Amino acid sequence: MEELDRHARLALPIFRQLFDLMDEGFCVIKFLDSEFGPDSDYIHIAANAAYARHAGIPNVVGQKLREMVPDEADAWIARYGKVLESGEPIHFEQELVATGRWLRLSAFRLEPADSKLVAVLFQDITRERAAKQELEGENLHLSERMEEAVKERELFATLVQSSDVAVLVVDPDLNIVAANEAASKEFMQRFDRTVEAGHSLVELLSAAPDNLKQMSDRWRRSLAGEEFEVVESFKVGGTTRHIELRMRPLRNSKGDIVGAYKFGHDVTATIAEQTRREAAEDALRQSQKMEAIGQLTGGLAHDFNNLLTAISGSFELIETRLQQGRIEAVEKYLIAGKSATRRAAALTHRLLAFARRQTLTPSPTNLNDALADLCDLIRRTVGPEIEVELVATKGIWTTLVDQNQFENAILNLCINARDAMPGGGQLTIETGNRWVDDAQSAKLNIGSGQYVSVCVSDTGTGIPEEIRERVFDPFFTTKPMGEGTGLGLSMVYGFAKQSDGHVAIYSEAGSGTMVCIYLPRHLGKVTQAAPDRPSAEVHALTNSKVALIVDDEPTVRMLVADALQEVGIATLEAADGIEALSVASKTENIDILVTDVGLPRGMNGRQIADAIKQERHDIPVLFITGYAENAAFNHGHIRHGMEILTKPFSVDELQNRVRRLLSSSKA
């Protein structure tokens, strides 16, 4: 017995060392009361070093449970009480609320029972439990996702199966993998064949070789990786149906092509509706066109009838006075007829400007310089009640423009501004350099890039919104009868468009109006027009000169010939291009060509000029035209040694132009 006591005493330090080195927390607690009750408690009589590490409570020896965890003590005391009473160990997991840690515990009674000692072994499993809960959450989420995926697949399958869109899937060998009811119905209608998974598409269409080739080609394009759409049309029971096919390759998770599929959507009703809409739009456009033509011809007929009345009346009265021998009374009728003729010419010029058919002679121009010369005329035109201000941007870019037509356009805008300010006001003309980006390009309906702008603004009555869209229409005017032709703004619009620019209007009723003309920037230098030589000097150069006159109107040929003969120029005449070339080939000396542009028998004036210049390189050319074909002049540009005179023209103007061309040619 003594030997056993000696060994026990020797082992005791070893056990104590092991007790302190244990990785798990370990403690011994002693029940303090004689029996269990509401105030029962335990005191810690021993604890190893790992206790504080796992439980998070230091210096536990000597502390009572109710002191350590007052809010949790009852639950812990009840558990340990069962161990003392039954002698059966317990194993459980519990959160230590005081420290927020989860512990895995084992509690057992130390003998003898009357010592009322309980040993507790435990580990901190906070991280383990958190990981477990996270895993359980992920598993639950995965399970829910799988359930959702199954439901989605079932839903998608139901939707595809019941959809009106025909869905067909094939493998690389053109065997059908899947087909919904719409695809099966389409096959039955077109080919009297049923479609099921496993069927060969080639066999199904073997009785329709044309369809087989076309369809096979489409499927093989999809199997090669191509995505495309095509509209297929076919007849069913005498009715044409249109199917929009969308063909796509089918890929696996690795991106490899494992088949192809198509969506076939019946667009028969859509195409029919589109056709009806296009027909309605065409009818509307035709109606609008006829309305515009009616408005145009009505206004034109009104103005021309007035002018023709003045011209024809003047001629009749001249004839009457000549028969009466009253020559002194003829002059006023001549003046009236010439005035009406000039007004008729102005009217046709405005019409041509609106239709973008006027003949332009563009040259590189600095608009600041052009406006500086024009402003004095504008001030005299609008009157002293209106203050005119020119705001000229420094460093203004050059633009390629017909300066005369530009000045006419600005003058028209200023006259409109004057009429909008009957009580006087402010008229501002402002120039600027403008960059037009893509957004502005779409809004202004011009190409993006660099433009020179000229804006004319007033402080007048403004334009009501309901008529703002119509102000550029020909013969549209808000002025009383006889006070306006309605061609001013339409001429400005036509001039801007023919110059590859745009015109925009900004106005509100009662707040004034601003009209801006945008003209493309030209990178060339400004050119100065050479001054005309005195007509006496030119006249001396025209002796013994010969002019070839080409015009299909005999009266015009006669008038031009007589006018040139008046200044000593001999004339040859031709009615069309073929006759003109024939005359030129038989005549050695022709010094100038005077030709109309629009001519019969398939040859226009420009082509005649080019043909004659093959043999006579330096011959000057004067085009006389009442309706300029832009294509004949290379979109408005003519070569050196060529000029254009617009009908109707005065005899003096014709003679001076011919003299100047002959003088320039000789120089």
Side-chain angles (χ1 to χ4, degrees):
M1 189 68 178
E2 292 179 0
E3 185 67 18
L4 289 175
D5 289 340
R6 186 175 68 83
H7 285 295
R9 287 194 298 273
L10 291 172
L12 201 58
I14 297 174
F15 292 150
R16 182 67 196 182
Q17 186 178 9
L18 290 173
F19 177 70
D20 288 333
L21 292 175
M22 285 177 59
D23 186 56
E24 291 82 1
F26 188 82
C27 67
V28 177
I29 57 176
K30 180 177 177 60
F31 186 62
L32 296 176
D33 303 303
S34 59
E35 59 183 22
F36 293 102
D39 297 326
S40 299
D41 203 353
Y42 286 85
I43 187 171
H44 289 76
I45 64 172
N48 69 351
Y51 184 101
R53 187 166 66 251
H54 285 276
I57 303 174
N59 305 319
V60 71
V61 175
Q63 294 192 49
K64 297 178 182 179
L65 272 177
R66 291 193 182 278
E67 294 173 348
M68 295 169 56
V69 287
D71 296 332
E72 307 171 56
D74 288 340
W76 291 101
I77 290 170
R79 283 195 183 95
Y80 297 146
K82 289 181 180 179
V83 173
L84 284 176
E85 286 181 344
S86 66
E88 296 292 331
I90 61 172
H91 308 279
F92 63 97
E93 294 180 358
Q94 178 66 38
E95 183 182 15
L96 190 60
V97 179
T99 61
R101 300 186 183 191
W102 276 87
L103 305 176
R104 180 181 293 121
L105 304 103
S106 297
F108 48 91
R109 187 176 69 187
L110 295 179
E111 300 300 335
D114 58 4
S115 66
K116 297 183 179 180
L117 297 175
V118 176
V120 182
L121 184 66
F122 61 91
Q123 270 186 315
D124 182 358
I125 61 167
T126 305
R127 291 185 179 178
E128 178 184 334
R129 185 175 180 85
K132 180 180 179 182
Q133 288 178 338
E134 183 179 355
L135 180 60
E136 289 175 351
E138 289 180 354
N139 289 338
L140 177 62
H141 182 59
L142 181 59
S143 176
E144 291 173 349
R145 286 182 60 188
M146 290 180 65
E147 290 180 6
E148 290 175 359
V150 170
K151 290 179 181 179
E152 285 179 0
R153 286 193 176 190
E154 292 175 351
L155 176 62
F156 284 136
T158 302
L159 289 174
V160 170
Q161 190 64 19
S162 60
S163 173
D164 291 335
V165 177
V167 181
L168 187 65
V169 185
V170 302
D171 65 17
D173 296 322
L174 296 185
N175 295 316
I176 295 174
V177 176
N180 69 347
E181 291 181 4
S184 300
K185 182 178 179 181
E186 179 188 320
F187 256 81
M188 179 59 70
Q189 289 177 334
R190 294 184 62 181
F191 309 114
D192 195 24
R193 297 283 193 278
T194 58
V195 176
E196 294 180 5
H199 284 180
S200 168
L201 188 64
V202 176
E203 292 179 4
L204 286 172
L205 297 175
S206 58
D210 293 339
N211 294 102
L212 172 61
K213 183 180 185 311
Q214 186 182 61
M215 287 188 173
S216 296
D217 289 344
R218 290 175 183 163
W219 283 111
R220 298 200 186 283
R221 286 170 60 188
S222 296
L223 289 168
E226 187 176 349
E227 298 182 2
F228 60 94
E229 290 82 33
V230 64
V231 175
E232 186 176 50
S233 302
F234 59 90
K235 285 191 175 182
V236 176
T239 302
T240 301
R241 289 181 57 194
H242 306 280
I243 305 294
E244 182 184 68
L245 300 178
R246 297 186 178 183
M247 312 288 292
R248 300 288 188 273
L250 181 65
R251 301 177 185 273
N252 61 16
S253 58
K254 297 179 181 179
D256 300 327
I257 296 177
V258 295
Y261 63 94
K262 79 164 186 178
F263 291 150
H265 182 62
D266 193 327
V267 292
T268 304
T270 303
I271 290 179
E273 176 60 29
Q274 182 179 352
T275 302
R276 286 193 294 269
R277 185 171 63 251
E278 289 175 352
E281 289 174 352
D282 287 343
L284 177 60
R285 280 193 293 269
Q286 182 66 17
S287 174
Q288 292 173 334
K289 185 189 300 181
M290 296 307 296
E291 181 182 356
I293 290 174
Q295 184 178 10
L296 178 64
T297 54
L300 182 62
H302 172 270
D303 286 359
F304 258 109
N305 283 337
N306 287 338
L307 297 169
L308 290 173
T309 299
I311 295 170
S312 62
S314 296
F315 275 116
E316 289 176 10
L317 288 170
I318 289 171
E319 182 182 21
T320 300
R321 295 294 181 263
L322 290 174
Q323 290 173 352
Q324 295 172 346
R326 298 169 57 187
I327 300 176
E328 72 282 353
V330 169
E331 185 177 1
K332 66 177 180 180
Y333 302 123
L334 288 173
I335 293 172
K338 290 172 68 175
S339 174
T341 302
R342 284 194 295 271
R343 283 186 283 129
L347 179 61
T348 57
H349 287 167
R350 289 186 176 188
L351 283 170
L352 289 171
F354 164 72
R356 309 177 209 173
R357 290 291 191 174
Q358 64 181 337
T359 303
L360 299 182
T361 309
S363 61
T365 303
N366 182 304
L367 296 188
N368 286 347
D369 295 341
L371 290 169
D373 296 336
L374 186 63
C375 272
D376 287 340
L377 174 60
I378 292 172
R379 289 187 177 94
R380 291 194 299 271
T381 302
V382 301
E385 297 83 6
I386 296 175
E387 182 181 350
V388 178
E389 181 183 9
L390 174 61
V391 182
T393 296
K394 292 183 179 180
I396 195 76
W397 294 330
T398 301
T399 184
L400 191 66
V401 69
D402 185 312
Q403 187 167 330
N404 289 332
Q405 296 300 333
F406 168 74
E407 292 175 352
N408 286 340
I410 297 300
L411 191 57
N412 267 293
L413 294 179
C414 292
I415 291 172
N416 281 350
R418 177 201 64 188
D419 295 341
M421 299 184 289
Q426 174 78 34
L427 190 153
T428 304
I429 306 170
E430 184 176 1
T431 63
N433 298 326
R434 296 284 183 267
W435 277 93
V436 175
D437 58 22
D438 291 339
Q440 293 172 313
S441 170
K443 184 177 180 180
L444 294 175
N445 194 27
I446 56 176
S448 58
Q450 296 175 319
Y451 288 82
V452 181
S453 69
V454 181
C455 296
V456 177
S457 57
D458 62 61
T459 57
T461 55
I463 303 173
E465 183 178 359
E466 59 269 18
I467 66 171
R468 201 173 300 147
E469 297 297 324
R470 300 183 59 197
V471 296
F472 293 120
D473 292 349
F475 295 106
F476 177 79
T477 179
T478 57
K479 297 176 183 177
M481 180 66 70
E483 293 187 17
T485 64
L487 284 172
L489 283 177
S490 65
M491 183 275 288
V492 174
Y493 181 86
F495 160 73
K497 286 297 184 182
Q498 193 175 354
S499 301
D500 296 328
H502 183 69
V503 59
I505 190 165
Y506 310 92
S507 182
E508 291 185 13
S511 300
T513 300
M514 180 170 69
V515 181
C516 292
I517 301 175
Y518 295 84
L519 299 169
R521 180 184 184 183
H522 178 67
L523 298 179
K525 295 182 179 179
V526 175
T527 57
Q528 301 294 333
D532 291 342
R533 299 187 181 185
S535 55
E537 179 183 353
V538 176
H539 181 72
L541 296 172
T542 59
N543 295 332
S544 304
K545 299 295 182 180
V546 178
L548 173 58
I549 303 166
V550 186
D551 200 299
D552 59 322
E553 176 57 51
T555 304
V556 174
R557 291 201 309 273
M558 179 267 291
L559 290 172
V560 172
D562 287 355
L564 295 183
Q565 290 167 13
E566 284 289 324
V567 292
I569 300 174
T571 59
L572 301 169
E573 298 181 27
D576 54 50
I578 294 176
E579 186 178 349
L581 295 182
S582 175
V583 171
S585 66
K586 298 174 183 177
T587 307
E588 183 177 349
N589 296 322
I590 297 177
D591 300 290
I592 187 170
L593 172 65
V594 181
T595 179
D596 193 3
V597 176
L599 291 166
R601 301 181 68 180
M603 198 173 194
N604 63 39
R606 177 59 185 268
Q607 292 167 330
I608 295 171
D610 289 343
I612 291 178
K613 275 183 169 289
Q614 294 291 328
E615 300 296 331
R616 296 173 170 87
H617 304 291
D618 298 327
I619 186 172
V621 180
L622 177 64
F623 296 105
I624 53 174
T625 178
Y627 183 79
E629 293 285 351
N630 281 337
F633 299 108
N634 192 21
H635 303 286
H637 300 283
I638 58 175
R639 293 187 300 186
H640 177 70
M642 296 180 176
E643 289 191 14
I644 301 168
L645 183 60
T646 305
K647 299 175 184 176
F649 46 79
S650 68
V651 171
D652 286 344
E653 189 175 8
L654 171 66
Q655 292 170 339
N656 286 333
R657 285 290 192 98
V658 171
R659 287 167 173 168
R660 184 170 67 195
L661 282 168
L662 288 170
S663 175
S664 300
S665 174
K666 183 174 181 179

